[in-house]
Amino acid sequence: MSDTSKIHYSTCPHDCPSTCALEVEVLDVNTIGRVRGARGHTYTDGIVCEKVARYAERIHHRDRLLYPLKRIGAKGSGAFKRISWDQAMAETAQALLKAEAEFGAESVWPYFYAGTMGHIMRDGIERLRNAKKYSGQHSTVCVTLSQAGFLAGTGKLAGPDPREIAHADVVVIWGTNPVHTQVNLMSHVIKARKKNRTKIVVVDVYENPTMAQADLGLCVNPGSDGALACAVMHILFRDCLADRDYLLKYSDYPNEFEQHLKNKTPQWAAEITGLPVEKIETFAKLLGTSKRSYLRLGYGFTRSRNGAVNMHAAASIATVLGAWQHKGGGAFHGNNHIYHWDKTLIEGLDVRDKTVRILDQARIGAILTDDPIDIGDGPPVKALFIQSTNPMVIAPEQEKVKQGFAREDLFVCVHEQFMTETALMADIILPATMFLEHDDHYQGGGHQHISLGPKIIDAPGECRSNHDVLSDLAKRVGAEHRGFDMTSREITAETLEKSGWRGLENLERENWFDCQPDFDTAHYINGFAHDDGKFKFKPDWHKISPVKPGGLGPVENMPEFPDYWDVTEKADHDHPFRLVTSPSRGFLNTSFNETPTSQQKEGRPTALIHPEDMAQLGIAEGAPIILGNQRGQVRVHAQGFEGVNRGVVIVEGLHPNHAFIDGKGINTLTSAEVSAPNGGAPYHDTHIWVRSSE
């Protein structure tokens, strides 16, 4: 590359709805300098989080994996030797073929998630899976519950242009902490306040940095969002603030729904949420007198057993208000369905066999320990091929996960950038490229752009991209699909064309496409995306799951209308506290927890506890404590924090397991129970006891 010390455009690949467009300073063929948000991108608008701004610290980290490795000691011991790529791929292919020959193709489980959000590098593993008929994956560690709840009402995962926040009278940030996780969203909200005096309401389970910016902060008990939403709608109907004309035209069963809400009073909700009645009344009246109310609904909903019902209830507020009619009004969770992708080539959908079993990603611990609920009559998993995820830290029920990975009869190949806890359990480790070292394309989740991420520097050592590794492995295991014979750029070009977008040459020239639908489409002016065009207050939850007809989890017990669904893991005599594992500012899942600046900023794992709870338990500030339940125990340090309700404990960030006092990470305590209607791990829905460890 001759044009050194110049700015190149790219896209942040990390698991964040902002999907920031970037300006990257390139110093030479191997080195980047500063990273900034792209100033010409109307959503990124020149802003980028501090993690990505210092990406040079990560991409040039001295601890990056650079060469293929083979385990020579006990699993987890860290004893590896360097081997050639040919040997690494040959041994991996041999292990996968051996498992297939002895136990069938379903004994091999390709396992991945969102370590990169690039469509080719993230989703290409599905092409290998489909070509070989390996076990499928139902991805349940993040979005299943919240998306199901939004879809239940609208029928489509799309909503008003997030840039319309500039025109909102009120922005409700509910179930997300954008100061930590979506800095661009917070930037748009603050600009709206300065320009238009937009009011900011924040609903969350603790007084986080986003709530500190709010005009009205509502700190609710975990999993109680549905009660708050129903009480708000009760008040809107009670005080004649509901848009009845809109409801008659655009919703199903509005009269029955109003009757259902008759006993969902602020007093009823106060008992459940922990909020004062006065705050609930204030919130409802603010919305009811502000038709341009924009409800920005986040992924916090997806972490609770009743998360789909809670999301559906919160989104229903916009319909009761008739807010969808107005610029700067409505509800928004994500824009996945505006892109109309044809991913046949990327994922090998043309060779998919729908009779192949699908395994629940979040239940990897149960699956690897041969739980009959998951395995059934099928073969045990004998070989794992892992890309772009770190289940030894992120998966719930960690004791089972560790037990499963420790099996001597389980072959594990991990394609990674760093020596993660999952890589430590591998038989073969393959070094992976980072996003500036390969070609890919992206879509915004929290906005409306398709963007490009071209290769702009060379990878260090012998790192190879996900696509290149999959193409090599496919040939060795006999997986046939033309996508394995194409370059990443060729796949992007064909995918853009077949999906109805304007082609790779245009995308390269323009850097991104603005795909926002017109106002009427985005606001459902011509009807919602159900057959009858109505917003569904009374959804058929049995039809939500694309994985299993009739849904997953206790679908039959889900409430008929929006409600507080009382199925969370309760605090009780033996477990008097509720644990919430909220995201931190310095880490993004387990990405960035290897960079020195993030480590310094986040410090050690800490439990935020109300000072009165600490005093009652006899726990001193900074003292080591034990958090425990039926799934295990974790030791952390205590920190008094008045911005949390009594009986609630917050542990921010996915610190590495080794950062904890006993080497046991926070997901030791979380459950892999299947939540309705479509599965999903309830990470923020955990009861625990708290004890001093001194």
Side-chain angles (χ1 to χ4, degrees):
M1 185 182 297
S2 60
D3 53 342
T4 57
S5 298
K6 291 188 177 181
I7 300 300
H8 292 248
Y9 286 100
S10 188
T11 305
C12 177
H14 288 283
D15 188 10
C16 166
S18 289
T19 322
C20 292
L22 304 177
E23 297 174 2
V24 182
E25 182 184 30
V26 177
L27 303 181
D28 58 43
V29 294
N30 304 114
T31 314
I32 67 166
R34 295 177 298 172
V35 177
R36 297 187 295 263
R39 285 160 286 191
H41 189 282
T42 54
Y43 186 78
T44 300
D45 198 23
I47 304 296
V48 71
C49 72
E50 60 183 34
K51 298 183 290 292
V52 175
R54 57 174 188 269
Y55 212 85
E57 181 181 25
R58 186 170 195 269
I59 200 168
H60 302 310
H61 198 296
R62 65 182 182 183
D63 292 337
R64 276 192 69 177
L65 294 170
L66 299 177
Y67 309 102
L69 302 172
K70 178 179 180 177
R71 178 171 66 88
I72 56 174
K75 286 194 173 186
S77 67
F80 294 92
K81 69 174 182 179
R82 179 179 171 181
I83 58 175
S84 68
W85 264 101
D86 186 63
Q87 181 183 350
M89 296 303 292
E91 293 195 16
T92 298
Q94 182 181 13
L96 271 56
L97 290 168
K98 181 175 184 291
E100 180 181 2
E102 294 181 5
F103 297 94
E106 290 182 341
S107 68
V108 178
W109 194 17
Y111 191 90
F112 77 109
Y113 202 52
T116 174
M117 296 294 281
H119 284 195
I120 296 170
M121 299 304 159
R122 182 189 64 195
D123 300 331
I125 195 170
E126 297 284 16
R127 191 184 327 118
L128 177 69
R129 184 194 317 279
N130 290 330
K132 286 294 294 181
K133 298 179 173 53
Y134 293 150
S135 280
Q137 174 178 298
H138 182 31
S139 297
T140 52
V141 300
C142 190
V143 299
T144 44
L145 287 164
S146 59
Q147 289 187 354
F150 196 88
L151 287 167
T154 62
K156 184 179 181 180
L157 194 61
D161 188 336
R163 295 168 296 193
E164 288 183 25
I165 285 171
H167 304 280
D169 298 321
V170 176
V171 176
V172 181
I173 301 172
W174 197 335
T176 183
N177 180 10
V179 170
H180 280 186
T181 62
Q182 297 180 60
V183 64
N184 306 88
L185 169 60
M186 204 65 211
S187 174
H188 283 281
V189 173
I190 296 300
K191 287 177 182 177
R193 168 191 272 167
K194 290 179 179 178
K195 183 177 180 180
N196 294 330
R197 298 183 179 177
T198 300
K199 297 293 185 184
I200 302 172
V201 180
V202 175
V203 185
D204 215 309
V205 295
Y206 72 123
E207 294 179 7
N208 53 43
T210 300
M211 194 174 289
Q213 298 286 336
D215 298 289
L216 178 63
L218 301 169
C219 187
V220 300
N221 290 325
S224 67
D225 310 75
L228 174 59
C230 286
V232 166
M233 292 185 286
H234 167 96
I235 296 167
L236 295 175
F237 279 110
R238 182 198 71 190
D239 294 352
C240 299
L241 297 171
D243 190 331
R244 295 181 186 278
D245 291 338
Y246 181 85
L247 288 168
L248 286 172
K249 182 178 180 180
Y250 284 99
S251 72
D252 70 337
Y253 307 107
N255 296 327
E256 292 90 335
F257 183 42
E258 181 178 0
Q259 288 300 312
H260 166 75
L261 293 171
K262 286 288 187 182
N263 65 348
K264 310 301 179 185
T265 65
Q267 293 77 15
W268 164 81
E271 291 292 324
I272 298 168
T273 63
L275 289 171
V277 169
E278 295 76 17
K279 274 201 168 185
I280 299 173
E281 292 275 2
T282 299
F283 180 32
K285 289 174 183 177
L286 177 61
L287 293 177
T289 56
S290 308
K291 292 299 185 181
R292 296 179 186 273
S293 293
Y294 193 103
L295 281 76
R296 183 60 174 86
L297 307 174
Y299 292 111
F301 288 93
T302 206
R303 318 288 189 221
S304 184
R305 287 168 177 80
N306 58 5
V309 173
N310 291 339
M311 169 64 84
H312 179 231
S316 295
I317 295 173
T319 304
V320 173
L321 286 170
W324 299 99
Q325 303 168 89
H326 307 290
K327 189 172 186 178
F332 183 88
H333 179 52
N335 249 342
N336 296 38
H337 290 166
I338 71 172
Y339 298 107
H340 47 79
W341 289 112
D342 181 340
K343 299 183 79 171
T344 301
L345 180 59
I346 293 174
E347 297 185 7
L349 298 178
D350 49 344
V351 294
R352 181 185 175 195
D353 182 346
K354 293 184 179 180
T355 67
V356 171
R357 73 175 178 185
I358 298 175
L359 301 176
D360 188 331
Q361 173 195 29
R363 291 187 58 78
I364 185 172
I367 290 165
L368 295 184
T369 54
D370 296 338
D371 191 320
I373 293 174
D374 302 277
I375 297 298
D377 297 329
V381 171
K382 290 290 186 177
L384 282 171
F385 179 76
I386 300 175
Q387 286 185 325
S388 306
T389 190
N390 186 11
M392 281 288 291
V393 177
I394 71 163
E397 298 185 4
Q398 278 284 300
E399 291 304 302
K400 288 185 181 178
V401 177
K402 292 176 181 178
Q403 182 182 346
F405 270 89
R407 283 171 35 201
E408 287 298 331
D409 67 329
L410 175 70
F411 173 82
V412 179
C413 176
V414 175
H415 187 200
E416 250 297 355
Q417 297 164 348
F418 293 96
M419 185 64 78
T420 64
E421 284 89 344
T422 303
L424 281 170
M425 300 302 292
D427 298 284
I428 298 290
I429 300 174
L430 308 174
T433 52
M434 292 190 185
F435 76 106
L436 299 174
E437 300 160 354
H438 57 240
D439 295 310
D440 212 333
H441 65 269
Y442 303 83
Q443 70 179 50
H447 55 87
Q448 58 285 101
H449 291 84
I450 292 171
S451 56
L452 203 60
K455 178 181 182 295
I456 64 174
I457 62 170
D458 293 335
E462 297 179 5
C463 295
R464 294 185 184 178
S465 74
N466 287 11
H467 174 67
D468 289 341
V469 169
L470 289 165
S471 297
D472 186 348
L473 184 60
K475 292 178 174 59
R476 296 173 187 264
V477 298
E480 296 183 358
H481 194 279
R482 66 189 188 91
F484 295 122
D485 297 316
M486 300 172 69
T487 66
S488 298
R489 280 177 46 82
E490 289 169 339
I491 294 174
T492 289
E494 183 171 324
T495 299
L496 286 168
E497 180 182 352
K498 290 194 172 182
S499 301
W501 299 112
R502 292 187 295 110
L504 180 57
E505 289 186 3
N506 288 314
L507 187 57
E508 287 182 314
R509 182 172 60 254
E510 300 170 28
N511 300 311
W512 49 76
F513 295 154
D514 187 337
C515 307
Q516 180 62 37
D518 62 83
F519 179 90
D520 285 1
T521 301
H523 286 257
Y524 301 102
I525 300 301
N526 299 316
F528 288 89
H530 295 290
D531 291 341
D532 60 1
K534 305 289 189 180
F535 182 94
K536 298 295 184 183
F537 289 130
K538 189 179 180 181
D540 185 348
W541 290 110
H542 292 84
K543 293 182 178 180
I544 300 297
S545 176
V547 176
K548 178 185 176 185
L552 297 168
V555 183
E556 64 280 359
N557 298 329
M558 297 181 75
E560 186 176 50
F561 285 109
D563 209 333
Y564 169 62
W565 189 27
D566 190 12
V567 293
T568 58
E569 188 166 78
K570 298 290 183 298
D572 55 32
H573 179 269
D574 294 326
H575 310 87
F577 290 87
R578 299 285 305 284
L579 171 68
V580 177
T581 55
S582 299
S584 64
R585 189 169 188 171
F587 300 153
L588 202 170
N589 301 323
T590 64
S591 295
F592 298 97
N593 65 19
E594 70 286 321
T595 56
T597 303
S598 286
Q599 291 172 344
Q600 181 181 4
K601 286 178 177 290
E602 293 304 321
R604 64 192 182 188
T606 301
L608 305 179
I609 308 175
H610 197 282
E612 293 180 25
D613 285 332
M614 290 178 62
Q616 186 174 335
L617 293 168
I619 295 172
E621 180 71 20
I625 59 173
I626 307 174
L627 313 179
N629 60 21
Q630 67 274 26
R631 291 178 281 271
Q633 299 182 18
V634 172
R635 284 209 298 163
V636 297
H637 291 86
Q639 179 180 331
F641 181 62
E642 293 185 352
V644 66
N645 291 348
R646 293 286 307 272
V648 177
V649 176
I650 307 290
V651 178
E652 288 187 336
L654 268 179
H655 291 262
N657 295 340
H658 62 74
F660 289 79
I661 297 172
D662 291 332
K664 295 182 178 181
I666 198 64
N667 282 318
T668 299
L669 305 174
T670 55
S671 172
E673 182 179 333
V674 177
S675 304
N678 191 29
Y683 284 102
H684 295 179
D685 188 356
T686 304
H687 66 197
I688 59 169
W689 46 258
V690 179
R691 299 171 188 166
S692 172
S693 69
E694 292 183 324

